[in-house]
Amino acid sequence: MAEIVVNFQHDRGLVYDADDYFRLRTEFRIVGNLIGVPVSHPRNINQQGLPVVLSCYELKLLFEKNAIRLSNRDAIFLQAPCTEQAQLYKSMIEKQKEEMRQPVIEKRIEAFRKHLPKIIEGKRKKLLKSGIKNEDINISPEQLVAEEMEKAKTAKFDVLVQIPTKYPFDCESPRLPIILNTEDQIKYRVFESLWNQGGFITVGDSFGCDFLLYPGDPMYFHASHMVHVLKKSSQKLDVKYLIRICRLSVVVNKLCVIAYIDETINDVHFETLEWEGTSNKGESV
């Protein structure tokens, strides 16, 4: 299976190709974060499109699975295209325009055929008014359609040209390694452990946690767990901190999980917390 090229720009890994992103989502359960504008709905502020940003944990996992190649193309993007590239891009745009013209022409001819009887009758009346006898009038429907086809081919239509999100030319770029700091390395081990157990994992910044765990694709499922990663297994937990993360998980209807690395056996451990609140208050009265 071919490696997916991930563009490293502004300290972020970006994927521009829709097929590549589909592979990441279906084969590797990697979601990322869409930050672009969908081509089909460019003014829709409630829906995002390509490119997709991959977190450092997702990049590290894919890199170790030999699924991606991290590439820095900043220098290539800043270069002016050569004559060959300019011609290739021009032919690509013309091909797009032609592909967009064909459905318009077909729709125009379809509408013309639909009104063909009225068009023939109108031409007949016009010829009769000019003094031509009815028996001398010979109007061929096929000829009218052929003439309309020629007009449609030379007519000008308004077209929307899609600007490619993926770099359209083949180019060589240096491979880049993925280096994580100490804290991110701990979080990556937790991310990898969760990924190996199945499900989908995303960064949990929007929910005030480190990771969100989904039972299936986030397009169809809500997150079921909020995961908080401890920097050290010996880290003392403040009571207020525990209350805060538990109450937060209750509000958003998710389970609260604390993850840490047991240094004695060098393995990832998970502890699930459940908030009981004051459910037993009535019994103590």
Side-chain angles (χ1 to χ4, degrees), residues 113-263:
R113 289 182 181 277
K114 183 178 179 180
H115 298 92
L116 190 57
K118 294 182 180 180
I119 294 173
I120 294 176
E121 185 62 25
K123 289 183 175 294
R124 186 184 300 278
K125 290 180 179 180
K126 188 175 181 180
L127 292 173
L128 289 173
K129 287 183 179 180
S130 64
I132 300 177
K133 296 181 180 180
N134 187 44
E135 56 271 15
D136 295 333
I137 298 175
N138 183 19
I139 302 175
S140 173
E142 291 76 11
Q143 184 178 355
L144 291 178
V145 172
E147 292 175 355
E148 185 65 20
M149 179 71 76
E150 291 299 322
K151 291 180 183 178
K153 288 181 179 180
T154 57
K156 293 183 178 181
F157 300 104
D158 293 331
V159 294
L160 295 175
V161 178
Q162 179 182 346
I163 299 175
T165 54
K166 181 181 178 182
Y167 191 66
F169 310 118
D170 295 330
C171 59
E172 292 294 333
S173 54
R175 291 171 175 261
L176 299 176
I178 299 176
I179 302 175
L180 302 180
N181 57 37
T182 304
E183 182 177 349
D184 285 335
Q185 286 177 359
I186 296 174
K187 292 182 179 180
Y188 170 71
R189 289 195 58 183
V190 173
F191 179 88
E192 182 184 28
S193 179
L194 290 170
W195 188 88
N196 287 333
Q197 295 180 45
F200 287 71
I201 307 102
T202 64
V203 176
D205 294 343
S206 59
F207 281 81
C209 60
D210 292 302
F211 300 112
L212 289 171
L213 181 60
Y214 296 79
D217 194 314
M219 186 177 293
Y220 307 105
F221 294 88
H222 289 289
S224 58
H225 297 72
M226 299 172 60
V227 182
H228 301 265
V229 181
L230 301 183
K231 296 180 181 179
K232 294 182 179 180
S233 60
S234 58
Q235 177 180 341
K236 292 184 178 180
L237 297 179
D238 182 24
V239 175
K240 292 183 178 180
Y241 169 76
L242 288 175
I243 294 175
R244 184 167 63 250
I245 62 177
C246 288
R247 288 295 299 271
L248 177 59
S249 64
V250 171
V251 171
V252 294
N253 194 27
K254 305 184 191 313
L255 292 177
C256 179
V257 178
I258 293 179
Y260 62 93
I261 297 177
D262 190 339
E263 298 175 356

